[in-house]
Amino acid sequence: MGIIERKERQKESLRQQILDASRHILLADGYAGLSMRRIAERIEYSPTTIYLYFKNKEEILYHLCVDALERQLEVISAAAGTGGSSLQSLRAGMRAYVDFGLSEPDQYRITYLADISQYVSITSIMEKGSAADKLCDLMRTLVKEVLFELGSPLDPETVFQTLWAHIHGIVALLIGSPDFPWVDREKLIDTSLDISLRGLVPLTGR
Amino acid sequence: MGIIERKERQKESLRQQILDASRHILLADGYAGLSMRRIAERIEYSPTTIYLYFKNKEEILYHLCVDALERQLEVISAAAGTGGSSLQSLRAGMRAYVDFGLSEPDQYRITYLADISQYVSITSIMEKGSAADKLCDLMRTLVKEVLFELGSPLDPETVFQTLWAHIHGIVALLIGSPDFPWVDREKLIDTSLDISLRGLVPLTGR
DNA sequence: CAAACAACTTAACAGTGTTAATATTTTTAC
DNA sequence: GTAAAAATATTAACACTGTTAAGTTGTTTG
């Protein structure tokens, strides 16, 4: 029965084409330029055809997010795994997070900033075994190791969420207000990581 | 010539009504519910009348931002001015920033997160003497004092922007992903401020 | 009193996401 | 092989969106 498999492949192919077209438009014209009709135009199908492959626009955005999170997981775990102390690993991971966000601002927008999170439940993005879940676990592990080595009494989960918020803040602010008179970007990111990580060292300890 | 003054007042009044209606809709139905037609409906005028008072929707959003920034400046400077050390003042100010953002999430969205910043130039919001400008200066001053007392060699502007990013990150993340399994909100905010501010203390110093 | 001006509305344009109904093609069953 | 069934794709339409052009009032001015 190779025929129905070919059909399956063709169906999957068009599905993939839709996602590719969406990604392309997002990259080329930003989130504002991403409409169902423009996607349809690009894949050379009628707009309503898309609805045979995706429930609605949000489901497309959802898959773009999942896709981006998978790439982000790769980049970050690669960065965190380049030897060195656990603190160096954590720092490298955080740095990779920021770089990834700044390299694809519109993608970062729909993943972490857009209203989508109000419709597409975050629980489906965060489901066990997903890239997002693994990403959180990776960060949690790194944080746990660092806190252990420092002999810190801080709660790892709280620290993880705090550090996440801090690097998210850097990305979100730089993306959201590109015209603000920021200090040198490199210096800002470095200082932010310095402060966040130095803040983990207990005052009594040193 | 009291007549033309009355006219002037009436015109200004309708202008204010439009802003009030917008603010009300924003608070009641969120950013997604804020449309020109809904504003018009609320003030009981035709939608196009609004364009006689504001250039476009973005100009309305701009004024909402300015308005919010003025309130934010008040709240934060009040919090920062409640005695104590400069570090306590800075912390109180940062805490007030977070609380303000969380208390009006949709307002915070359009001020710091929405795409508006791409159309309404940030330079007009940040112009000399504006609330936003004063807000930055207030934070800068607080940071400068703290760094001086700590004998820190860090650049005040860089530290200011870093701390801003950190508290922005907390607000943006909590607002953007309310369904994420956050630790206790109070604990998260406290820990974040702890880490950010502790990170200012030079390692050699203590 | 006529002309100018101001305030406001109706109608329309070009978009948006989405649904219902319809057409076309392909697969299945007799 | 042909008829019914199913899958695939399209056209037309709905209810929105921000915004503009044209037209309608009412008021002020020369």
Side-chain angles (χ1 to χ4, degrees):
Chain A
M1 290 273 183
I3 296 165
I4 66 162
E5 285 180 354
R6 191 206 62 205
K7 288 274 166 182
E8 202 69 33
R9 258 183 291 127
Q10 279 177 358
K11 203 173 157 80
E12 186 54 36
S13 160
L14 187 47
R15 225 183 116 86
Q16 206 46 242
Q17 272 184 60
I18 293 170
L19 290 177
D20 289 344
S22 306
R23 220 173 283 116
H24 181 273
I25 294 169
L26 193 66
L27 210 74
D29 300 343
Y31 179 61
L34 183 61
S35 80
M36 299 300 266
R37 283 171 174 82
R38 290 225 24 204
I39 298 170
E41 191 180 296
R42 209 180 153 71
I43 60 171
E44 294 181 302
Y45 277 82
S46 117
T48 50
T49 299
I50 299 174
Y51 288 86
L52 300 174
Y53 295 84
F54 295 93
K55 191 184 155 201
N56 51 28
K57 188 180 180 181
E58 275 151 45
E59 201 181 287
I60 295 176
L61 295 178
Y62 165 75
H63 279 94
L64 291 184
C65 288
V66 169
D67 183 87
L69 284 166
E70 280 167 8
R71 284 179 289 138
Q72 199 176 8
L73 173 62
E74 272 184 45
V75 168
I76 290 177
S77 56
T82 53
S85 69
S86 62
L87 186 67
Q88 280 171 331
S89 285
L90 176 58
R91 189 187 178 105
M94 291 170 72
R95 174 73 210 211
Y97 181 101
V98 174
D99 287 340
F100 185 85
L102 294 176
S103 71
E104 293 183 48
D106 284 284
Q107 180 62 69
Y108 191 87
R109 257 205 156 84
I110 70 165
T111 307
Y112 294 103
L113 292 170
D115 290 342
I116 180 186
S117 28
Q118 294 191 336
Y119 303 88
V120 171
S121 145
I122 198 162
T123 53
S124 71
I125 292 182
M126 289 292 307
E127 73 182 341
K128 229 171 158 53
S130 68
D133 186 47
K134 286 179 186 166
L135 198 50
C136 288
D137 267 351
L138 173 61
M139 291 285 283
R140 272 192 202 98
T141 307
L142 290 172
V143 167
K144 216 173 279 184
E145 282 179 28
V146 169
L147 290 181
F148 178 77
E149 284 188 16
L150 288 173
S152 168
L154 292 172
D155 171 41
E157 181 65 24
T158 308
V159 172
F160 152 60
Q161 293 182 10
T162 294
L163 294 183
W164 180 19
H166 289 186
I167 54 182
H168 172 70
I170 291 283
V171 177
L173 219 46
L174 286 175
I175 284 179
S177 303
D179 293 338
F180 186 86
W182 302 111
V183 297
D184 177 65
R185 182 171 279 200
E186 202 63 29
K187 188 180 181 184
L188 180 60
I189 299 171
D190 249 32
T191 302
S192 172
L193 295 181
D194 279 347
I195 290 177
S196 289
L197 294 176
R198 201 177 287 178
L200 299 183
V201 183
L203 282 182
T204 53
R206 194 188 303 210
Chain B
M1 290 271 184
I3 296 167
I4 66 161
E5 285 180 355
R6 190 205 62 203
K7 290 271 170 182
E8 202 69 35
R9 258 184 293 127
Q10 280 177 356
K11 202 171 158 77
E12 186 53 38
S13 160
L14 187 48
R15 222 183 119 85
Q16 206 47 242
Q17 270 183 61
I18 292 170
L19 289 178
D20 288 344
S22 306
R23 220 174 284 116
H24 180 273
I25 294 169
L26 193 66
L27 209 75
D29 299 343
Y31 179 60
L34 183 61
S35 79
M36 298 301 266
R37 283 171 174 83
R38 291 227 23 206
I39 297 170
E41 190 181 294
R42 212 183 148 72
I43 60 172
E44 294 181 304
Y45 278 83
S46 118
T48 49
T49 299
I50 300 174
Y51 288 87
L52 300 173
Y53 294 84
F54 295 93
K55 190 184 156 202
N56 51 29
K57 189 181 180 181
E58 275 151 46
E59 200 180 289
I60 295 177
L61 294 179
Y62 166 74
H63 279 94
L64 291 184
C65 287
V66 169
D67 182 88
L69 283 165
E70 280 166 9
R71 285 179 289 137
Q72 199 176 7
L73 173 63
E74 270 184 47
V75 168
I76 290 177
S77 58
T82 53
S85 69
S86 62
L87 187 66
Q88 280 171 331
S89 284
L90 177 58
R91 190 187 178 104
M94 290 170 72
R95 174 72 209 212
Y97 181 101
V98 174
D99 286 340
F100 185 85
L102 294 176
S103 71
E104 293 184 48
D106 283 284
Q107 180 62 69
Y108 191 87
R109 256 205 157 82
I110 70 165
T111 307
Y112 293 103
L113 291 170
D115 290 342
I116 181 187
S117 28
Q118 293 191 338
Y119 303 89
V120 170
S121 144
I122 197 163
T123 52
S124 71
I125 292 181
M126 290 292 305
E127 72 181 344
K128 230 169 156 53
S130 68
D133 185 48
K134 285 179 186 165
L135 197 50
C136 287
D137 267 351
L138 172 61
M139 290 286 283
R140 270 193 203 98
T141 307
L142 291 173
V143 167
K144 216 172 279 186
E145 282 178 29
V146 168
L147 290 181
F148 178 77
E149 285 187 15
L150 288 173
S152 168
L154 290 173
D155 171 43
E157 181 65 24
T158 308
V159 172
F160 152 61
Q161 292 181 11
T162 294
L163 294 182
W164 180 20
H166 289 185
I167 54 182
H168 171 71
I170 291 284
V171 177
L173 219 46
L174 287 175
I175 283 179
S177 303
D179 293 338
F180 186 85
W182 302 112
V183 298
D184 177 65
R185 182 171 279 200
E186 202 62 30
K187 189 180 179 184
L188 180 59
I189 299 170
D190 249 32
T191 303
S192 172
L193 295 181
D194 279 347
I195 289 177
S196 289
L197 294 175
R198 201 176 288 179
L200 299 182
V201 183
L203 282 181
T204 54
R206 194 187 302 211

